[in-house]
Amino acid sequence: MPLFLTMSKQSHPLIRLLSYLTPFRGKVVLASLFSVLNKLFDLAPPALIGAAVDIVVQGKNSLIGRLGFPEPGDQLLVLGGVTALIWILESFFEYLFQVYWRNLAQLTQDRLRKDTYRHVQNLELAYFEDRSTGGLISILGDDVNQLERFLDHGANDLIQVAVTVLVIGSLFMVSAPEIGWMALLPMPFIIAGSVWFQKKLTPGYASVREQAASVNGQLVNNLGGIATIKSFGTEEYENRRIAGLSEHYRKANEGVIKLSSAFVPLIRMLILSGFIGILIFAGLKTLRGDMEVGLYSLLIFVTQRLLWPLTRLGQTFDLFQRAMASTRRIMNLLDTREHLPRGDKPLDKYSITGAYNLKDVHFQYRSGPPVLRGLSLTIPPGKTTGIVGATGAGKSSLIKLLTRFYDVTAGSITLDGIDIREYRNEDLVHAAGLVSQDVFLFHGSVADNIAYGSFQATADQIIQVAKHAEAHEFIRSLPQGYETLVGERGQKLSGGQRQRISIARALLKNPPVLILDEATSSVDNETEAAIQRSLLHISQGRTTIVIAHRLSTIRHADQILVLDAGTLAERGTHQELIQAGGIYAGLWKVQSGLAVQ
């Protein structure tokens, strides 16, 4: 298990981020080294200015003169050469640190996004029950990007400020210890103020990230339901809702902005005290002849180089706090351990008979009452089983248990005599082909959507399953045939067309078990007839489970199970259940027009 996942959730997000960057340790070291070298050469110009003043004032007695260059003209040429070399090296290391830090930011962003997306996909379906898709998108998108922005600029700024304080502080204490403390005096207050601001900003930025997730969540919902919004004429209502969430986000940022913006002005006041102290007291020493003019010039310049960059700490800490708030959200997501227990028994789909047996099955979702109560039933292999019942009877929940999207609360479900929890999840997925009531098609061509999950399928195989699903003829009539783009979620196609593409997609897996969940509930009579014809063909030789609202869809099933309030109420063929005069017979009379509605 990665180190960052073994650390306590209470660890500071920076520590967790550094542990996450362990695979890039070499790049982090080089990027940091280039930042240090760039800053060292960047701090040299004040010394060069001091040397130039020293040459003009001292002449042959200047520092460079004492190094073997007695003529002031030669000294200036030497100084010019050294200046050129320093500027070239400063520019070179600036190029290197920018390349390394920015590439490191991209590597981190890439790894984080892939890791978090992979992790989210592996979470059990129950995890998504009470969570906003937009909130997850906010973490996968905005939070990851926020971290990238910090690594792009903020990490280098923190390193270079630390180098500046260390180098110039050492210079003061070596060259003029009696007054150097004046420049260093503001430092403890600046550091203490930075820590105080950091603590104050942490909850504020956590709130900002949460508000951003709320806005993203509602936007995703609204864009996904734009047809519903337009059909009800609720555009203004949704405008107000988004405006309200956006206002909460603005106000959360407003509070943080007020606090973070006060940081720089306060630091400037502290900096001013140190700068004035050096300006006056070092100037008096120079006037008395106790300090050389060149050294005085150097100290004035480096005081600015020491203190003024600290004004950027406000902006840097702002980036840092935003990044840490995002890091905490990302790591908390990666810490989530909501997985169904993994089985280890292999399952060869070509050897499956498709015999299901449910024994005293109980099930309920995380919130809400029990859905299934002591359900026991058998689904024979190679036969067609229809499942009917009123809304809320537990039909779709039963399918989710058979496909192991969820685990039973109590009881057991076996496939070919073995509890499905013992099978490897990846094998169990290939054992059953599911056609859901809510068909989801990806933005792409018809062929791409049929071949989804069977990516190596040939064009001939795609056409063959389309024919079995009664989809080939309407696909041929589309503008580009099988290469026609279906639009996001398949919005360019009718509900019946999407259903038939979904059936073809399931058939291409060639599963031993085929499950259709309300596949004809929202289609017209012609489409229903087409789906019924395809069912008669594709159900041959495989276990077929059909949840149906329209009883005509399953009237030829080998057995029909009638669920009522999570229990098995009736069982038999169509004719047997009609003759029994129970729930099924009542539903049939209503749908066939034999009863007054």
Side-chain angles (χ1 to χ4, degrees):
M1 182 180 292
L3 175 61
F4 74 94
L5 288 180
T6 64
M7 302 181 69
S8 168
K9 293 183 181 181
Q10 303 304 317
S11 300
H12 192 281
L14 178 60
I15 297 175
R16 304 194 69 195
L17 177 61
L18 291 175
S19 70
Y20 186 80
L21 293 176
T22 300
F24 310 131
R25 185 188 298 114
K27 295 183 182 296
V28 173
V29 170
L30 284 175
S32 302
L33 175 63
F34 295 144
S35 291
V36 170
L37 291 173
N38 168 257
K39 179 49 64 175
L40 290 176
F41 286 108
D42 179 59
L43 291 173
L48 298 176
I49 294 174
V53 173
D54 191 39
I55 291 172
V56 173
V57 175
Q58 300 293 338
K60 295 181 179 181
N61 296 321
S62 70
L63 176 62
I64 296 179
R66 294 195 295 271
L67 293 176
F69 300 93
E71 293 300 323
D74 294 337
Q75 294 176 32
L76 290 174
L77 289 175
V78 170
L79 184 61
V82 172
T83 299
L85 178 62
I86 287 174
W87 279 59
I88 289 171
L89 288 173
E90 179 197 356
S91 300
F92 175 65
F93 287 118
E94 180 175 1
Y95 167 78
L96 288 179
F97 88 65
Q98 288 207 27
V99 168
Y100 269 76
W101 277 119
R102 292 174 74 174
N103 280 331
L104 184 61
Q106 293 301 316
L107 284 170
T108 304
Q109 174 187 240
D110 177 65
R111 185 184 177 212
L112 269 175
R113 182 168 288 119
K114 289 189 292 191
D115 282 354
T116 48
Y117 178 70
R118 184 182 299 111
H119 182 74
V120 166
Q121 282 208 131
N122 290 331
L123 294 172
E124 62 179 291
L125 199 59
Y127 172 80
F128 301 93
E129 288 177 7
D130 302 317
R131 286 171 175 82
S132 161
T133 301
L136 291 174
I137 290 176
S138 178
I139 295 175
L140 292 168
D142 196 30
D143 283 324
V144 172
N145 292 339
Q146 188 67 55
L147 195 53
E148 178 209 7
R149 287 190 283 272
F150 169 69
L151 290 174
D152 254 349
H153 305 289
N156 171 72
D157 288 346
L158 287 176
I159 291 172
Q160 294 202 338
V161 166
V163 171
T164 300
V165 171
L166 181 63
V167 171
I168 297 182
S170 300
L171 173 65
F172 269 113
M173 300 314 296
V174 170
S175 60
E178 68 279 8
I179 60 172
W181 62 270
M182 295 181 185
L184 299 179
L185 182 63
M187 294 304 301
F189 298 100
I190 292 174
I191 293 172
S194 299
V195 173
W196 183 85
F197 267 92
Q198 176 182 339
K199 291 181 178 179
K200 287 290 185 181
L201 288 170
T202 296
Y205 279 124
S207 175
V208 167
R209 301 310 318 140
E210 291 300 324
Q211 294 297 333
S214 296
V215 174
N216 285 344
Q218 195 60 51
L219 286 172
V220 168
N221 281 339
N222 286 13
L223 292 175
I226 191 67
T228 302
I229 292 172
K230 287 185 174 298
S231 68
F232 281 88
T234 54
E235 289 90 346
E236 282 306 312
Y237 170 79
E238 294 301 340
N239 284 341
R240 290 193 299 271
R241 178 148 59 166
I242 293 298
L245 290 173
S246 184
E247 179 69 10
H248 289 316
Y249 177 56
R250 185 192 66 78
K251 287 183 177 179
N253 265 301
E254 185 178 55
V256 171
I257 289 170
K258 287 180 179 178
L259 188 59
S260 62
S261 298
F263 186 74
V264 171
L266 292 175
I267 286 180
R268 284 181 179 273
M269 296 302 100
L270 293 171
I271 289 172
L272 180 63
S273 62
F275 181 73
I276 290 178
I278 294 295
L279 179 70
I280 294 176
F281 289 98
L284 292 174
K285 283 176 64 71
T286 303
L287 291 174
R288 290 196 302 267
D290 297 334
M291 179 178 289
E292 295 180 355
V293 175
L295 180 58
Y296 175 64
S297 302
L298 171 62
L299 293 180
I300 289 295
F301 279 109
V302 296
T303 300
Q304 287 185 314
R305 299 303 298 272
L306 169 65
L307 297 177
W308 289 118
L310 295 178
T311 60
R312 294 209 315 270
L313 271 180
Q315 186 179 29
T316 302
F317 268 111
D318 187 73
L319 270 177
F320 177 77
Q321 283 305 325
R322 289 180 183 269
M324 291 305 99
S326 293
T327 299
R328 184 176 288 107
R329 282 163 49 85
I330 294 169
M331 294 303 171
N332 286 343
L333 177 57
L334 288 171
D335 282 333
T336 303
R337 286 287 167 267
E338 297 192 22
H339 302 283
L340 292 175
R342 297 187 64 85
D344 56 8
K345 187 176 182 60
L347 178 64
D348 180 7
K349 78 173 185 178
Y350 297 107
S351 64
I352 297 172
T353 66
Y356 286 95
N357 185 58
L358 283 71
K359 183 177 180 181
D360 194 28
V361 169
H362 293 260
F363 175 70
Q364 69 181 99
Y365 296 98
R366 290 180 175 179
S367 58
V371 179
L372 300 178
R373 302 173 177 86
L375 182 63
S376 296
L377 57 87
T378 298
I379 297 175
K383 304 293 183 180
T384 298
T385 296
I387 302 174
V388 300
T391 301
K395 304 185 299 296
S396 293
S397 296
L398 173 59
I399 296 304
K400 292 174 183 177
L401 295 178
L402 293 176
T403 53
R404 210 186 170 216
F405 289 164
Y406 294 83
D407 271 343
V408 298
T409 307
S412 66
I413 300 177
T414 63
L415 172 59
D416 288 357
I418 298 174
D419 195 309
I420 63 173
R421 289 171 290 193
E422 296 182 22
Y423 289 122
R424 294 191 308 196
N425 291 14
E426 57 269 29
D427 291 344
L428 199 58
V429 165
H430 295 293
L434 174 63
V435 179
S436 175
Q437 176 183 1
D438 183 20
V439 176
F440 187 96
L441 298 185
F442 295 90
H443 182 65
S445 69
V446 172
D448 290 339
N449 275 279
I450 293 176
Y452 187 79
S454 304
F455 302 109
Q456 304 305 316
T458 64
D460 288 340
Q461 290 173 323
I462 291 172
I463 292 173
Q464 189 64 33
V465 295
K467 289 179 178 178
H468 290 330
E470 297 276 344
H472 179 64
E473 291 303 321
F474 91 76
I475 294 174
R476 286 181 57 195
S477 68
L478 295 174
Q480 284 82 42
Y482 281 83
E483 297 307 313
T484 301
L485 296 179
V486 302
E488 190 172 4
R489 298 182 67 91
Q491 61 184 346
K492 292 184 178 181
L493 303 178
S494 69
Q497 290 172 334
R498 291 196 296 267
Q499 282 287 7
R500 282 180 274 178
I501 287 177
S502 180
I503 292 173
R505 179 166 61 190
L507 288 177
L508 195 56
K509 290 174 60 177
N510 191 25
V513 178
L514 182 63
I515 302 173
L516 293 95
D517 184 3
E518 301 277 17
T520 62
S521 63
S522 58
V523 300
D524 56 38
N525 292 333
E526 181 181 349
T527 302
E528 181 190 7
I531 292 176
Q532 286 178 357
R533 289 194 301 270
S534 68
L535 275 177
L536 289 174
H537 179 77
I538 65 181
S539 62
Q540 298 300 317
R542 76 175 87 228
T543 301
T544 306
I545 304 170
V546 184
I547 291 182
H549 173 71
R550 294 181 179 180
L551 303 186
S552 55
T553 306
I554 48 103
R555 63 180 300 181
H556 299 296
D558 296 292
Q559 73 164 351
I560 298 172
L561 307 176
V562 182
L563 300 186
D564 182 37
T567 62
L568 180 61
E570 299 176 6
R571 174 180 178 176
T573 64
H574 173 76
Q575 284 301 124
E576 290 170 347
L577 293 174
I578 290 294
Q579 293 172 3
I583 297 174
Y584 183 87
L587 292 173
W588 177 256
K589 287 180 180 180
V590 170
Q591 292 193 16
S592 61
L594 298 177
V596 178
Q597 300 186 36

